[in-house]
Amino acid sequence: MKNDMSDLRRFFRNRFERLVTYNDADGSRAGDGSAIGLRELCETLAADDEKFPRYYDQDLRRLCGHEAGTWFRSERTYGDVARLVNRVLDAHSIGNTRPSGFWVSEVLDCGTLIDGMRRPDLASNGRLSNAQH
């Protein structure tokens, strides 16, 4: 089945909710009938410039933690959320509950899409972050 962007965005929202509510990084129990994983959706939507629904502001506040103010400085897109979630998934994969440092700023203010998708243990300049020293 070929997924169009509206379906991909819906699948992403479903998995995003599961991540925030149940810490379900896989999203396999989203109940929407799609086998596509959250990581794959993040990679697919990383450059999507469609506005992300304001309905999820509380969830984004929880996801961003101490950097939530950075999120709310301007309108954000599915691509912005996908890059943030990808960074959280990377942190989970190395045993952390969330990325460290000013990770939201790094993702949202990155110079390129590649920087925004970079692993959480690397700063935007490619060296180990100060938290790792």
Side-chain angles (χ1 to χ4, degrees), residues 15 18 33 42 54-55 66 73 77 106 108 113 122 133:
R15 282 148 187 74
R18 295 226 22 112
C42 288
R54 298 299 302 246
Y55 172 79
H66 73 280
R73 288 183 188 151
T77 66
E106 287 179 8
L108 297 177
L113 183 59
L122 298 177
H133 291 126

Side-chain angles (χ1 to χ4, degrees), residues 5 9 45-52 76-80:
M5 286 303 286
R9 290 179 186 126
L45 297 174
D48 188 1
D49 61 358
E50 177 75 20
K51 300 287 185 221
F52 196 72
R76 300 299 181 179
T77 66
Y78 275 87
D80 294 328

Side-chain angles (χ1 to χ4, degrees), residues 61-90:
R61 189 175 306 278
R62 288 178 60 199
L63 183 77
C64 295
H66 73 280
E67 278 197 277
T70 302
W71 173 263
F72 293 105
R73 288 183 188 151
S74 64
E75 256 333 285
R76 300 299 181 179
T77 66
Y78 275 87
D80 294 328
V81 179
R83 291 189 308 275
L84 287 174
V85 169
N86 192 63
R87 188 69 68 93
V88 168
L89 295 177
D90 284 344

Side-chain angles (χ1 to χ4, degrees), residues 17-27 62 88 92 96-97:
E17 285 183 35
R18 295 226 22 112
L19 174 67
V20 173
T21 305
Y22 302 106
N23 199 26
D24 179 8
D26 173 40
R62 288 178 60 199
V88 168
H92 283 201
N96 296 330
T97 56

Side-chain angles (χ1 to χ4, degrees), residues 1 5-15 32-33 41 45 56 78:
M1 173 176 113
M5 286 303 286
S6 62
D7 284 338
L8 293 174
R9 290 179 186 126
R10 179 172 49 89
F11 299 151
F12 179 76
R13 289 190 311 269
N14 291 346
R15 282 148 187 74
D32 54 22
L41 286 165
L45 297 174
Y56 296 96
Y78 275 87

